[in-house]
Amino acid sequence: MPHTALATARVYANDPKEFNYSVLARLSSSSLGFNPNDCHTGIELLEKNHYAVRVDPKGLYKTVRSVLPLVENSKSYFEVYITKQEKGGGICVGISTKELPISCLVGTRPNSVGFSTSGNAIQTVDGKEAWSNLGRTVNAGSVVGCLVSLSPAKEDAGSEVQAELSFFVDGKELGSLSYKFVGGLPLYPTLSLFSREGRVFSLFDVNDMMSAHAVKDEGAVSLDGKSIKAHLERPASQLVRSPSQIDRSPAVDT
């Protein structure tokens, strides 16, 4: 992908929304993006590491994690915006420890949970994959949000962490699930691309989130610990930038 201003404009010429998100990405810190050191070689990271683009059509899953982990013993919220995918889905968003190989689908290994755009939540318990349909497929042009509440599984459980996850699509909650993580390792927002045309923006910066209004929990924070509620209550004149100005008309899957 070219990186000059003119070449970039040409790349995004057929999708104004994609261009708008690219502008937001350049205004955000790269620490609130994807981690280039924890990324499959089949994914290219653009726009200060906020834009994950699958570039290798061979093989199955290509995975990347965020730079920052979820905030421990708190309620963390993050979003992604799906720019492009093939019909039928092929993109999965979730959380994992770094034990998950970046060649695997998030949710199909222990210590990971995912939500696929096919409409299924994915988790692995006692070595067995469990897929549960949440009732809605997700198309390109949608924002997927994930609210994760972390707490010690038990007072005497040591390194076990109980996670309560809720998944949202365009501000509507689809469902929730519980999962016990073991080992005490940090948990990271995780993206897996199966779709050969997969393109996804990270919206980890509270200033870029599109559907944070759906989060009713007053204690929810972004990956860098900023209060979601406090941000939503700020006057428009105090906002760093306004994602609401982005054209939200539906995109078309290819």
Side-chain angles (χ1 to χ4, degrees):
M1 297 280 286
H3 296 283
T4 66
L6 179 59
T8 300
R10 288 172 177 166
V11 168
Y12 296 138
N14 294 326
D15 190 344
K17 274 195 299 183
E18 191 175 10
F19 177 76
N20 287 336
Y21 274 98
S22 76
V23 172
L24 288 179
R26 293 173 210 174
L27 293 172
S28 183
S29 169
S30 58
S31 66
L32 285 167
F34 296 113
N35 189 347
N37 298 316
D38 198 10
C39 179
H40 194 285
T41 56
I43 295 176
E44 184 176 6
L45 298 180
L46 306 173
E47 310 299 5
K48 295 176 66 177
N49 299 330
H50 288 276
Y51 196 21
V53 178
R54 176 161 175 162
V55 293
D56 182 2
K58 298 179 181 179
L60 297 176
Y61 304 107
K62 320 292 184 185
T63 291
V64 59
R65 277 178 279 265
S66 62
V67 174
L68 295 179
L70 302 178
V71 180
E72 292 184 4
N73 298 324
S74 69
K75 298 176 181 178
S76 299
Y77 179 73
F78 63 92
E79 296 178 348
V80 299
Y81 173 72
I82 300 172
T83 301
K84 191 174 183 180
Q85 69 172 355
E86 297 170 343
K87 289 183 178 179
I91 292 173
C92 194
V93 181
I95 60 174
S96 70
T97 66
K98 292 196 174 185
E99 297 167 299
L100 176 75
I102 53 177
S103 59
C104 293
L105 174 67
V106 60
T108 61
R109 294 291 189 276
N111 280 349
S112 69
V113 177
F115 170 68
S116 170
T117 52
S118 64
N120 293 288
I122 311 168
Q123 57 183 315
T124 299
V125 180
D126 296 330
K128 298 180 181 179
E129 289 180 31
W131 293 59
S132 54
N133 194 314
L134 297 186
R136 175 179 171 180
T137 58
V138 181
N139 299 318
S142 294
V143 172
V144 176
C146 183
L147 176 65
V148 187
S149 177
L150 300 177
S151 60
K154 296 179 181 178
E155 291 185 2
D156 59 349
S159 60
E160 293 186 353
V161 174
Q162 187 69 36
E164 305 292 335
L165 298 94
S166 297
F167 297 105
F168 301 79
V169 175
D170 294 331
K172 296 181 179 180
E173 184 173 355
L174 294 189
S176 59
L177 59 86
S178 299
Y179 190 85
K180 185 182 294 184
F181 288 85
V182 298
L185 298 175
L187 296 168
Y188 295 84
T190 305
L191 170 71
S192 294
L193 300 179
F194 174 74
S195 172
R196 303 301 191 271
E197 301 291 334
R199 296 185 179 191
V200 178
F201 274 103
S202 66
L203 303 179
F204 303 155
D205 190 322
V206 69
N207 294 294
D208 299 339
M209 293 178 180
M210 295 293 293
S211 302
H213 60 273
V215 179
K216 305 304 181 184
D217 196 303
E218 295 188 357
V221 297
S222 57
L223 297 185
D224 56 349
K226 293 181 180 178
S227 168
I228 302 295
K229 182 175 184 292
H231 174 75
L232 293 174
E233 291 178 346
R234 294 172 64 185
S237 60
Q238 295 182 13
L239 296 179
V240 176
R241 47 193 177 275
S242 178
S244 61
Q245 296 174 356
I246 294 177
D247 175 17
R248 291 298 311 283
S249 57
V252 178
D253 287 350
T254 58

